[in-house]
Amino acid sequence: MKAGIHPAYENVKVICACGSSFATRSTHKGDLRVEICSSCHPFFTGRQKLVDTEGRVDRFQKKMAKAKEMQADKKAATDAKAAKKLVN
């Protein structure tokens, strides 16, 4: 490796929202704050936990409900149009 062109690795402390922390090395200066770590992530713990950041799950569910409603309205409109053609 060439000297002087690589960033310096510093010892940093990673702090999770669940309260656990561990030490690692990074080019980032200062402590790192994370929302989820291996101590609280469902994949590693084996228990289900809903991680909802800034209401994204709720926003997605509202968006999907609106899309289904729009599809139902469109289907009703096409059915009404087809029924009108049959009457005429």
Side-chain angles (χ1 to χ4, degrees), residues 18-88:
C18 71
S20 69
S21 62
F22 57 92
T24 188
R25 294 181 59 196
S26 174
T27 57
H28 185 272
K29 292 179 175 62
D31 293 343
L32 293 174
R33 301 215 177 254
V34 295
E35 294 177 8
I36 197 161
C37 68
S38 62
S39 299
C40 60
H41 194 279
F43 180 79
F44 298 108
T45 60
R47 50 178 200 184
Q48 186 68 7
K49 178 181 173 183
L50 180 64
V51 178
D52 185 9
T53 305
E54 299 174 6
R56 290 181 182 157
V57 172
D58 188 41
R59 265 195 335 223
F60 175 76
Q61 289 175 344
K62 285 181 184 177
K63 183 177 172 183
M64 291 306 292
K66 187 176 180 182
K68 285 183 181 180
E69 183 180 315
M70 288 177 64
Q71 285 178 345
D73 290 345
K74 188 175 182 181
K75 186 177 186 314
T78 57
D79 290 346
K81 191 175 183 181
K84 187 177 179 183
K85 274 189 173 181
L86 289 175
V87 172
N88 289 336

